[in-house]
Amino acid sequence: MVMMDYQLPGMSGYDVIRIIRKQYSSTELPIIGISGQTDQQIPAQILKCGANDFMYKGFTVEEFYSRINNMMDLLLSVRELKDAAYKDFLTGMPNRQYFYPAADALIAQLGTETGELGFVMMDIDFFKQVNDLYGHSIGDEVLKVVANCIRTESQSNALMARLGGEEFCLLTRGVSDSDLLARMDKLRTLISGTEIAIPGKSLKVTLSMGICMRKDETLEDLMAQADQALYTAKEDGRNKIVVYQSE
């Protein structure tokens, strides 16, 4: 959080706030303006420039802490709302509402450079049968276990998401096609060997994957290519990885 006087040497508080707001929104970095002048136009102008709050100098200790605590409560509420909007409630993974704009931004940042950008589409094999045989509560447990395995075997900076149902995706940067294939095969092996405890017995599932490496394609193109490779993996018997090959 920033507390800033209206009068600063070399630059006005208005200008500093405008510069900050070019990089950080009011919910990312809150600003409280302060001034010793009693001009009633100052708080209006400071708030108009992008400050979250304003105090006249001479404030008490109680007011000071109250304003800060209110600002922190607001930030916490905003973060909780963002989590609810952008995270899958079941697995805690980012959802498609978060993934699409984040992936588009990464691709736009790279421009025409490939940057070893890889896309993986994943699908739990025979997931409908799991729900039909054991119930949706067991199906939910399967989704959680698979999501945890994906997080374990993925780069910390990789973009991942549960797109819906039993479908997950992963966007990696700076990983070669051979390394990505090796990592995903490790993930596939991990999932196929993981026992999921259910009442009276244990359950194992497998994962099929389609991989493609970006040349200059859009996100939609990458998803279509990876989906095509995933379809081939399903047709070839499941629990497999297929790398997309352009014709």
Side-chain angles (χ1 to χ4, degrees):
M1 192 184 75
V2 176
M3 289 197 72
M4 180 184 303
D5 200 321
Y6 155 68
Q7 290 183 310
L8 299 172
M11 185 181 292
S12 73
Y14 299 149
D15 293 330
V16 176
I17 293 172
R18 290 189 184 100
I19 291 172
I20 291 174
R21 282 293 169 256
K22 288 180 180 179
Q23 285 189 280
Y24 302 98
S25 71
S26 60
T27 56
E28 292 173 322
L29 184 61
I31 300 172
I32 297 179
I34 59 175
S35 177
Q37 299 185 28
T38 57
D39 186 349
Q40 294 184 351
Q41 293 298 318
I42 292 175
Q45 290 297 322
I46 285 181
L47 293 172
K48 187 176 180 180
C49 289
N52 298 70
D53 202 354
F54 176 84
M55 291 189 293
Y56 285 111
K57 287 183 181 179
F59 46 80
T60 64
V61 172
E62 288 79 10
E63 181 184 6
F64 174 78
Y65 283 114
S66 293
R67 298 287 185 117
I68 291 179
N69 287 334
N70 288 340
M71 199 59 62
M72 295 299 102
D73 288 342
L74 175 62
L75 283 181
L76 182 60
S77 296
V78 169
R79 288 175 183 175
E80 289 174 347
L81 286 172
K82 284 185 177 179
D83 280 347
Y86 295 132
K87 280 188 178 180
D88 175 51
F89 74 97
L90 183 64
T91 64
M93 264 193 172
N95 58 22
R96 62 195 306 147
Q97 283 78 13
Y98 174 86
F99 180 80
Y100 285 139
D104 278 331
L106 178 58
I107 291 174
Q109 178 186 349
L110 289 176
T112 57
E113 299 179 8
T114 59
E116 291 185 326
L117 194 70
F119 188 86
V120 186
M121 192 75 81
M122 315 175 195
D123 195 272
I124 302 173
D125 298 324
F126 302 112
F127 184 70
K128 185 178 182 302
Q129 292 184 13
V130 173
N131 281 330
D132 291 343
L133 289 173
Y134 303 106
H136 288 278
S137 61
I138 300 301
D140 289 347
E141 191 61 33
V142 168
L143 291 169
K144 292 176 186 177
V145 170
V146 170
N148 286 334
C149 290
I150 294 172
R151 273 189 288 260
T152 299
E153 293 300 330
S154 301
Q155 285 180 300
S156 59
N157 62 344
L159 279 175
M160 62 189 76
R162 179 189 174 199
L163 293 180
E166 68 273 27
E167 196 169 54
F168 298 84
C169 67
L170 188 69
L171 185 65
T172 63
R173 180 180 181 182
V175 182
S176 67
D177 53 353
S178 57
D179 286 344
L180 181 57
L181 180 59
R183 289 185 183 186
M184 292 302 99
D185 193 54
K186 186 178 179 182
L187 170 61
R188 183 193 61 79
T189 303
L190 173 64
I191 291 174
S192 64
T194 299
E195 292 190 354
I196 302 165
I198 62 176
K201 60 189 305 185
S202 63
L203 170 69
K204 289 185 178 181
V205 296
T206 59
L207 200 67
S208 295
M209 306 185 208
I211 297 178
C212 64
M213 301 298 294
R214 178 179 181 261
K215 295 186 175 73
D216 57 359
E217 297 91 344
T218 64
L219 176 61
E220 290 76 15
D221 293 334
L222 287 175
M223 295 186 74
Q225 292 172 3
D227 203 46
Q228 182 177 332
L230 173 62
Y231 178 80
T232 302
K234 294 275 191 182
E235 289 291 300
D236 286 349
R238 294 177 170 81
N239 192 22
K240 290 186 177 181
I241 302 173
V242 171
V243 179
Y244 174 80
Q245 301 291 336
S246 59
E247 295 180 359

